Amino acid sequence: GETERITAVFENISSLAAIAEENSASSEEMSASVIDYSDKIKDMMSQVEQMEILTNDIKTELNKYVI
């Protein structure tokens, strides 16, 4: 009867809340991974810049010895 339907509705609501909570946790994990990935890319870009500076310094030094 009516009681069973109300119970079923509350069970469905509870299931949906649990699913939403799981989805939220997954989204947080994904966000943390993206942030970590982004930080690693920034580090890599910084290292590339340092390599460029070093390369230019080496070129400048080598040009001193061009005959």
Side-chain angles (χ1 to χ4, degrees), residues 1-12:
E2 192 68 26
T3 305
E4 289 85 9
R5 280 187 286 199
I6 291 171
T7 301
V9 167
F10 279 114
E11 286 174 358
N12 285 339

Side-chain angles (χ1 to χ4, degrees), residues 41-58:
I41 289 175
K42 286 178 189 171
D43 289 344
M44 190 175 75
M45 292 300 292
S46 176
Q47 290 177 8
V48 167
E49 287 175 19
Q50 292 300 316
M51 287 283 287
E52 281 185 282
I53 291 168
L54 184 60
T55 302
N56 286 330
D57 288 348
I58 291 171

Side-chain angles (χ1 to χ4, degrees), residues 20-34:
E21 192 173 337
E22 288 174 19
N23 287 343
S24 177
S26 294
S27 293
E28 286 178 20
E29 287 176 26
M30 175 89 78
S31 180
S33 294
V34 168

